[in-house]
Amino acid sequence: MHRLLLLGSLWLLVAPPASSIFQRPTGSPAPPHLQYLLEPLHAAVHTQRGATATLPCVLRALPRNYRVKWSKVEPANYRESIIIITNGLYHKNYGPLSPRVRLRHSHRYDASLTITDVALEDEGRYRCQLVNGLEDESVSLTLHLEGVVFPYQPSNGRYKFNYHEAKRACEQQDSRLATYQQLYKAWTEGLDWCNAGWILDGTVHYPIINSREPCGGRLLLPGVRTYGARDKQKDRFDAFCFTSALQGSVYFVRGHLNFKEAGQACRNHGAAIAKVGQLYSAWKFSQLDRCDGGWLADGSVRYPITTPRERCGGLPDPGVRSFGFPSKELRTYGTYCFAGK
């Protein structure tokens, strides 16, 4: 297991030795024996936004009277939301996923769940439960979206969001609050950010690659540092947002435009001024690389770099660079537009 070390009011996540990561602790119970459900070959299914994904759930035998219930574990409130229930002949869909889910049912033993037009909020853990009197059993699977995590703060500075405002801000930028797993993966891929931010489960973290004085000190190991759960109404931090592949494209319109003119320039092309999440997605998935600062929908000016070079900010790593939030009357920049499919 990971260990948490307390340093003042800051918790630091420390990974276990590599040799122990996949070993079951001595004396811990083995996974429950499955009589009717097959253990899935892979516990995780990887997909992108807009794709169709299938979560496997196959029976090895059919009990006389049974139901299969699919549900999703919601990390924000630790509850399970029912998605679909079937008795093999009939089924009923539930909740917001209802229009986009169906049973694959490729044969009589197949109770796999297919999700069409996968959305950002579909990421997470799902449970296929066989309901059979006293012999209930279940398998769990995780749906992973390929994407990118980015830190976000508003125009009026750092640490301005309570949890609900952070959640809304990410959604307004074509993204959602990142999960801990998404933030941890982003850290392993190089995300280094000194400002703490909310994530989906209501906890607050920041990822550090290069230990330094303003970010907890040089003596702390690199890691995803955590402040734990915070008051969702009163406490204020930045946000860590997550976005996935675009269903459309982002492109640059050259010019010396103020913010209002930037929006009009995109509309003249039959498009809309791009959101921050859309620019990050185009950088991640389409390798958008431009040295030109451009307006975005939140009033910030940014530019995406996939091939770092001296005359494009001079930083050694790829990334989306930011000029912050200049005056909206300033006529210095072009604009990034988004055209949906």
Side-chain angles (χ1 to χ4, degrees), residues 75-194:
N77 52 24
Y78 305 102
R79 301 169 107 176
E80 289 196 16
S81 301
I82 297 175
I83 300 170
I84 195 167
I85 296 178
T86 181
N87 65 359
L89 296 175
Y90 306 100
H91 70 271
K92 185 173 182 180
N93 294 16
Y94 297 86
L97 267 174
S98 181
R100 297 189 289 113
V101 296
R102 57 181 170 83
L103 294 170
R104 183 174 63 181
H105 207 63
S106 58
H107 52 80
R108 63 195 295 247
Y109 299 98
D110 186 13
S112 302
L113 182 73
T114 295
I115 305 173
T116 61
D117 193 20
V118 170
L120 293 176
E121 58 269 22
D122 297 342
E123 166 110 2
R125 189 158 65 90
Y126 291 76
R127 191 158 75 111
C128 176
Q129 182 181 14
L130 176 74
V131 181
N132 182 34
L134 298 176
E135 298 179 348
D136 294 358
E137 55 190 58
S138 65
V139 295
S140 292
L141 300 108
T142 301
L143 185 66
H144 283 301
L145 270 70
E146 298 173 14
V148 56
V149 172
F150 61 94
Y152 189 74
Q153 58 184 221
S155 59
N156 57 341
R158 70 196 288 261
Y159 294 175
K160 300 296 182 183
F161 295 135
N162 67 23
Y163 172 82
H164 306 287
E165 292 164 343
K167 184 173 182 290
R168 188 161 53 248
C170 288
E171 291 166 355
Q172 290 170 347
Q173 296 308 316
D174 192 49
S175 59
R176 73 192 294 250
L177 278 175
T179 65
Y180 181 80
Q181 289 77 14
Q182 289 165 345
L183 181 62
Y184 188 90
K185 183 174 184 289
W187 168 70
T188 66
E189 295 172 349
L191 182 60
D192 183 278
W193 196 255
C194 205

Side-chain angles (χ1 to χ4, degrees), residues 40 50 52 73 75 92 100 104 119 149 185 232 253 256 263 281 289 296:
T52 295
V73 179
K92 185 173 182 180
R100 297 189 289 113
R104 183 174 63 181
V149 172
K185 183 174 184 289
K232 292 183 178 180
V253 173
H256 297 282
S281 180
D289 184 295
L296 296 177

Side-chain angles (χ1 to χ4, degrees), residues 31-42:
H33 174 69
L34 294 175
Q35 181 178 356
Y36 293 105
L37 294 178
L38 291 176
E39 189 72 36
L41 287 175
H42 304 286

